Amino acid sequence: LKECTNEWTEAENELSQKKEEMRSTGAEQVLTGPEFKKYIAMIRNKGNTYKAKRSEMTDLRAEVGGLARTADILQNQYNEVKQTIAQMEKERGIACYTDTQDQPEKQRGGAWE
């Protein structure tokens, strides 16, 4: 019994020394049981949140690329139509008709350009 008591005392002293070493090095307390499970759950949750946000960002980048391309196509079509109208006005002898019609609209702030 004395031998077991001495071993127990030595183990407690060794544990106290190890704890003191951990405190002096600035290490955090070792997590055990439910605390460790809670920590793991928190890390998994953060990982899942990160993956979801990363996926959302990828989708948004793809959408922005598609919308930029659509805007370029629409701008090119608009310019082509504008040139076609200008050519038709010139052929009919009413050059700059659209420009004069757009002036009041621009002053009201209703122009698309």
Side-chain angles (χ1 to χ4, degrees):
L1 183 63
K2 255 186 177 180
E3 203 173 291
C4 286
T5 307
N6 288 339
E7 284 181 30
W8 178 265
T9 308
E10 285 178 21
E12 283 184 337
N13 289 338
E14 188 177 332
L15 180 62
S16 296
Q17 288 174 354
K18 298 271 183 181
K19 284 183 179 179
E20 198 57 43
E21 285 177 22
M22 283 180 50
R23 284 189 199 118
S24 65
T25 60
E28 293 184 20
Q29 184 179 3
V30 177
L31 299 177
T32 57
E35 294 173 344
F36 185 69
K37 287 180 182 178
K38 186 188 241 185
Y39 174 74
I40 293 298
M42 181 187 70
I43 295 297
R44 283 188 184 138
N45 188 24
K46 283 184 179 183
N48 291 337
T49 302
Y50 170 77
K51 288 176 187 174
K53 297 289 184 183
R54 184 178 63 192
S55 175
E56 186 178 347
M57 287 293 293
T58 301
D59 293 344
L60 289 173
R61 284 187 183 116
E63 187 175 347
V64 165
L67 290 174
R69 177 70 180 134
T70 301
D72 288 342
I73 290 169
L74 291 174
Q75 185 65 43
N76 289 337
Q77 289 177 350
Y78 173 75
N79 290 336
E80 288 174 9
V81 168
K82 193 173 176 182
Q83 288 175 353
T84 303
I85 290 173
Q87 175 122 9
M88 290 172 69
E89 287 175 351
K90 188 175 182 181
E91 289 172 0
R92 292 189 172 89
I94 53 172
C96 300
Y97 176 77
T98 306
D99 293 337
T100 57
Q101 291 296 317
D102 286 345
Q103 287 299 334
E105 198 172 312
K106 285 182 181 178
Q107 288 174 355
R108 288 192 314 256
W112 286 87
E113 292 186 304

